Amino acid sequence: MQHMVKPVCILCLQCSLLYGVHLAAAVAAAGDGNGGDQFAYSGFAGVKDLTLDGTAMVTPDGLLELTNGKPQVKGHAFHPTPLRFEESSSPEGGEKKAAVRSFSASFVFGIVTASPGVGGHGIALVITPTKDLSSGLASTYLGFLNRSSNGDNRNHIFAVELDTIQSPEFSDIDDNHVGIDINSLVSSNASDAGYYDDNTGEFKSLTLVSGKAMQVWVDYDDDATQIDVRLAPVGIKKPMKPLVSTRSNLSTVITDEAYVGFSASIGTMTSQHYVLGWSFGVGTQAPAIDMDKLPKLPGRRSKKSYPPKTMVIALPIVSVVLVIVVAAGVFLLIKRKFQRYVELREDWELEFGAHRLSYKDLLQATERFKNKNLLGIGGFGRVYKGVLPTSSSEVAVKRVSHDSRQGIKEFVAEVASIGRLRHRNLVQLLGYCRLKEELLLVYDYMPNGSLDKYLYSHDDKPTLNWAQRFQIIKGIASGLLYLHEEWEQIVIHRDIKPSNVLLDNDMNGRLGDFGLARLYNRDTELQTTVVAGTFGYMAPELALTGKASPLTDVFAFGAFLLEVTSGRRPVEQDIEGHRLLLTDWVFENCSKEQILAVIDPRLNGNINISEASLVLKLGLLCSHPMSNVRPTMRQVVQYLNGDMPLPEMSPMRFTFSLSALMQNQGFDSSLKSLGTISNLSIGR
Ligand SMILES: *[C@@H]1O[C@H](CO)[C@@H](O)[C@H](O)[C@H]1NC(C)=O
Ligand SMILES: *[C@@H]1O[C@H](CO)[C@@H](O)[C@H](O)[C@H]1NC(C)=O
Ligand SMILES: *[C@@H]1O[C@H](CO)[C@@H](O)[C@H](O)[C@H]1NC(C)=O
């Protein structure tokens, strides 16, 4: 009995404590009367009626968490009901819009990161006609505007931004500023974060990304049509001198009824954005926030989890049970694990001895496949960075799972022969190691990663200039020519795409992963998924017959050329979910002599027109649905080097749209049936 009662009591206590917190918060928020002209939240515990979307949530501690530290996210939080901003004595039936009344807002926020001073995007207090900001973009757009709406007077958005990245496109002054935004992310006025000391008048700098709570005051005076914004660390009273001001009659900006809330976003650099307390008043001062009731910001070390208190009690009990279970399990596991990680060596492997690496060395090289050494998850398995203990050279170790019973002998023979391939545009395979269910392939390490990262990086990462792109294109063509024609056997790559092109120290392109697709092509079950995984690079005849040839590689290379030049993927979906084929789009523009329209806008027009136009036309020729029209890789290299002129592309040759032709060949139907599978596949 004793044992039964005790835990129940503790839980009860827990509950009543939690309720206590809820009640306090509810009382604090009750300032929001029927008039809806003012409200105050001193912490958000138990506040249920905020309108939240994206990553925004209220934590059990009562913090309003707008973003969670994941890259490329946004979160919005709104007071549920709109506030009336217009003058109450609004002229009846008048055409003239009523004037917006004075208002005042105050909030306490905190931006937390793993390392202070280093963080991404920011928070904005927003006043908008709608609670639906779903069309706002993350990152630089702070979650409330987008490329087309930025700067548009019809937005009717007023915002005060706390921005922690300098975006030159919005003329940001630095990466730590407070700005007043009227319908635009180009601030009407902005200032480096800080405050003017009331006693000395001295400016004191503050770091927004500090993990410390700070308070912001926003005041609009309808007589002076002036907006004043102030900032100070929590505990310092509202400074007399504003940090930043601007003059604007907000009557033309804020709608008669408008919603007030927060928008926050993250780009590639991450932070967690929190609001601790918030008050607002229209036609009156914002009510005071009760600083004693505010929740605590999470510290740096306790990264981002809020273990409920019940867990603290349950933990010891759970751990004891766990220890017993684990002890029992370990016995069985060890037995199995040893079997699984036992290196397999058989007599037939002796002839490949030179390429055989020991599992022990690879474990040491990758620090037992530690997550921090994970370079990525590719089409065939995880790839880890490592340093070989024998030669201290940097390597990439790929773990490919396999079924030991099937075709492994042939595969190892192939790996060994691949190991003899040597070309400066191929990623060198150094060796392999074989376990029961896994094959470890060891390659040269490529410090600059894969090409797709440069083509599709979202904001801050520099893209490649045209000269670099052209050099990569020429390199890959030469590597492919070597595989097709210059080695003792014909090697078909089968998986040409930017994520399989790696960049070495000098930004030369090198093909990786060759021959691997073949392993799986033997295995009928996996065949379709792998083929579909690289869908968009797949020649029609390959989709129909499943038979790869040098010309199916040429087709994929054509898609690759268009992709590198246009910065678009070979198959994209429009808003209505229709598939758009890059070849169609390029062909259409090329036939209208609008080559420039398809060049990657990130190049800002800095291209060599004749090279770019050659590459695009060659891309179309290589991706021709009829294989006999495609050039060989030898011809491709000659065209690219200017040793041979590209055959004139008479419109007759492309009289019909490529996708129409594909449809005639039955490609479209096979494409549809593959569609569902492609979602499962590993892709990019
Ligand atoms: C601001 O604009 C409104 C509406 O156009 C107008 O009624 C009001 O007088 C203006 N305020 C000032 C101070 O000019
Ligand atoms: C940008 O935002 C505006 C206003 O919210 C919206 O109408 C428009 O569709 C958005 N544009 C894009 C490309 O999302
Ligand atoms: C910007 O704000 C500062 C600080 O309040 C103020 O001195 C300055 O006049 C403002 N500039 C404009 C253009 O409003």
Side-chain angles (χ1 to χ4, degrees):
M1 208 52 202
Q2 197 83 17
H3 289 282
M4 291 288 287
V5 171
K6 229 177 177 177
V8 172
C9 269
I10 292 167
L11 284 177
C12 269
L13 193 68
Q14 199 71 34
C15 283
S16 60
L17 276 177
L18 279 175
Y19 269 113
V21 174
H22 284 208
L23 283 172
V27 170
D32 179 15
N34 281 342
D37 292 349
Q38 59 168 303
F39 61 80
Y41 299 100
S42 300
F44 295 88
V47 174
K48 293 264 153 54
D49 58 354
L50 290 178
T51 306
L52 304 174
D53 69 40
T55 45
M57 60 176 256
V58 173
T59 71
D61 294 1
L63 287 162
L64 172 54
E65 179 182 279
L66 293 168
T67 66
N68 56 13
K70 301 231 167 67
Q72 302 295 345
V73 297
K74 57 183 177 176
H76 304 120
F78 281 96
H79 183 66
T81 49
L83 302 188
R84 266 188 297 109
F85 281 89
E86 93 273 30
E87 206 83 67
S88 46
S89 60
S90 89
E92 227 175 271
E95 297 283 300
K96 232 178 83 199
K97 191 188 161 296
V100 158
R101 291 187 283 168
S102 296
F103 64 84
S104 119
S106 170
F107 63 95
V108 178
F109 73 95
I111 304 178
V112 179
T113 58
S115 36
V118 183
H121 272 99
I123 312 184
L125 171 79
V126 293
I127 304 180
T128 81
T130 165
K131 288 195 275 188
D132 178 11
L133 292 182
S134 55
S135 57
L137 297 177
S139 191
T140 47
Y141 291 88
L142 295 177
F144 68 92
L145 286 174
N146 63 36
R147 264 180 211 99
S148 55
S149 64
N150 189 37
D152 190 334
N153 290 339
R154 291 167 300 179
N155 293 331
H156 295 290
I157 293 182
F158 170 83
V160 172
E161 62 168 47
L162 307 169
D163 193 346
T164 63
I165 296 268
Q166 182 169 20
S167 310
E169 69 269 39
F170 303 139
S171 318
D172 280 356
I173 52 168
D174 60 19
D175 61 358
N176 181 47
H177 62 269
V178 180
I180 300 172
D181 296 350
I182 297 176
N183 292 322
S184 171
L185 286 157
V186 179
S187 301
S188 304
N189 197 0
S191 166
D192 185 25
Y195 66 102
Y196 295 95
D197 187 292
D198 279 352
N199 298 321
T200 62
E202 193 190 342
F203 181 75
K204 298 208 164 150
S205 282
L206 290 173
T207 303
L208 295 173
V209 187
S210 61
K212 300 207 177 87
M214 289 177 232
Q215 188 167 7
V216 173
W217 295 264
V218 179
D219 297 281
Y220 174 63
D221 179 337
D222 60 3
D223 284 332
T225 61
Q226 170 145 336
I227 303 124
D228 289 332
V229 178
R230 294 167 170 88
L231 172 72
V234 156
I236 304 256
K237 72 174 185 23
K238 186 175 179 179
M240 288 187 312
K241 184 171 176 191
L243 171 66
V244 55
S245 326
T246 199
R247 296 205 55 175
S248 171
N249 187 340
L250 292 183
S251 303
T252 55
V253 179
I254 298 174
T255 48
D256 291 350
E257 285 212 325
Y259 292 92
V260 294
F262 294 95
S263 176
S265 76
I266 304 184
T268 38
M269 306 258 286
T270 72
S271 320
Q272 288 145 244
H273 297 100
Y274 296 99
V275 177
L276 292 75
W278 177 30
S279 68
F280 209 105
V282 181
T284 173
Q285 272 296 313
I289 298 170
D290 185 343
M291 295 294 168
D292 295 334
K293 291 218 182 85
L294 294 187
K296 292 252 171 326
L297 278 171
R300 247 188 298 148
R301 268 166 297 141
S302 64
K303 263 205 145 172
K304 96 130 282 202
S305 67
Y306 308 92
K309 294 205 177 107
T310 40
M311 200 129 124
V312 177
I313 296 156
L315 217 59
I317 304 166
V318 172
S319 2
V320 169
V321 177
L322 218 65
V323 164
I324 298 166
V325 172
V326 165
V330 155
F331 233 48
L332 298 168
L333 262 181
I334 284 186
K335 228 175 112 195
R336 237 192 96 200
K337 230 181 176 149
F338 265 127
Q339 263 169 14
R340 221 170 113 199
Y341 289 124
V342 140
E343 246 183 275
L344 298 185
R345 273 175 206 268
E346 290 174 51
D347 285 348
W348 55 263
E349 282 182 85
L350 286 177
E351 59 179 295
F352 311 121
H355 294 288
R356 180 82 208 210
L357 295 166
S358 85
Y359 186 52
K360 199 171 130 257
D361 282 353
L362 297 184
L363 274 181
Q364 198 181 333
T366 58
E367 299 174 89
R368 309 193 78 85
F369 297 100
K370 262 208 189 116
N371 264 346
K372 77 167 168 71
N373 293 326
L374 186 66
L375 291 171
I377 302 177
F380 300 97
R382 288 166 182 267
V383 187
Y384 293 83
K385 187 182 170 181
V387 179
L388 282 186
T390 44
S391 59
S392 43
S393 50
E394 287 187 317
V395 292
V397 182
K398 178 167 255 186
R399 306 180 70 157
V400 183
S401 61
H402 73 82
D403 185 341
S404 53
R405 284 155 307 183
Q406 211 157 21
I408 194 64
K409 200 165 165 176
E410 294 90 325
F411 180 67
V412 168
E414 206 159 276
V415 166
S417 69
I418 286 170
R420 290 190 290 122
L421 291 168
R422 280 211 162 59
H423 189 274
R424 68 195 144 79
N425 296 108
L426 299 180
V427 180
Q428 183 68 41
L429 178 72
L430 301 172
Y432 78 100
C433 173
R434 193 162 71 91
L435 308 180
K436 189 148 176 262
E437 289 161 17
E438 232 173 11
L439 200 65
L440 304 173
L441 299 175
V442 182
Y443 294 95
D444 267 345
Y445 172 66
M446 292 290 120
N448 285 320
S450 60
L451 175 60
D452 58 325
K453 307 248 158 49
Y454 294 83
L455 289 181
Y456 303 116
S457 69
H458 277 293
D459 25 25
D460 312 338
K461 199 160 186 175
T463 180
L464 297 167
N465 65 31
W466 174 253
Q468 288 170 318
R469 292 187 199 210
F470 194 55
Q471 176 181 267
I472 291 166
I473 286 171
K474 288 199 339 195
I476 296 306
S478 139
L480 208 48
L481 170 62
Y482 172 80
L483 291 180
H484 285 179
E485 296 184 28
E486 292 177 346
W487 200 53
E488 56 203 56
Q489 276 169 271
I490 297 177
V491 179
I492 301 167
H493 186 286
R494 292 160 200 260
D495 207 8
I496 297 158
K497 55 183 178 184
S499 59
N500 270 342
V501 169
L502 296 146
L503 301 176
D504 67 14
N505 267 321
D506 305 320
M507 299 304 271
N508 286 305
R510 290 175 178 233
L511 267 173
D513 261 3
F514 30 88
L516 270 194
R518 187 127 155 230
L519 169 72
Y520 284 101
N521 279 3
R522 288 215 188 84
D523 186 337
T524 45
E525 205 182 356
L526 279 163
Q527 180 179 349
T528 36
T529 47
V530 170
V531 171
T534 53
F535 168 78
Y537 305 90
M538 185 176 30
E541 76 272 14
L542 179 59
L544 286 178
T545 65
K547 246 190 161 153
S549 71
L551 286 177
T552 57
D553 269 358
V554 171
F555 183 94
F557 181 71
F560 171 80
L561 291 183
L562 301 183
E563 195 170 351
V564 174
T565 314
S566 68
R568 288 179 175 235
R569 298 186 194 274
V571 183
E572 287 189 348
Q573 289 200 344
D574 66 11
I575 318 157
E576 283 121 46
H578 300 305
R579 277 183 211 273
L580 302 175
L581 291 183
L582 181 58
T583 40
D584 275 1
W585 182 66
V586 173
F587 173 66
E588 221 171 87
N589 281 289
C590 282
S591 56
K592 287 191 235 150
E593 303 277 324
Q594 295 172 341
I595 294 257
L596 285 177
V598 300
I599 306 280
D600 188 347
R602 277 160 288 200
L603 289 169
N604 290 324
N606 295 325
I607 48 155
N608 177 323
I609 299 257
S610 63
E611 281 172 3
S613 129
L614 169 73
V615 169
L616 286 172
K617 285 178 180 163
L618 184 58
L620 286 176
L621 194 63
C622 289
S623 283
H624 199 284
M626 293 196 293
S627 59
N628 58 352
V629 179
R630 293 175 212 150
T632 64
M633 280 318 292
R634 185 167 298 282
Q635 289 169 317
V636 167
V637 169
Q638 286 168 338
Y639 295 142
L640 285 173
N641 289 338
D643 299 339
M644 210 164 68
L646 200 63
E648 207 34 60
M649 302 245 287
S650 75
M652 282 305 290
R653 242 179 156 143
F654 279 93
T655 35
F656 29 93
S657 137
L658 297 183
S659 59
L661 176 61
M662 289 180 183
Q663 215 150 21
N664 288 349
Q665 293 198 345
F667 183 49
D668 205 47
S669 55
S670 65
L671 183 156
K672 271 185 198 124
S673 65
L674 285 174
T676 45
I677 301 167
S678 74
N679 295 337
L680 297 171
S681 75
I682 34 277
R684 310 186 299 162

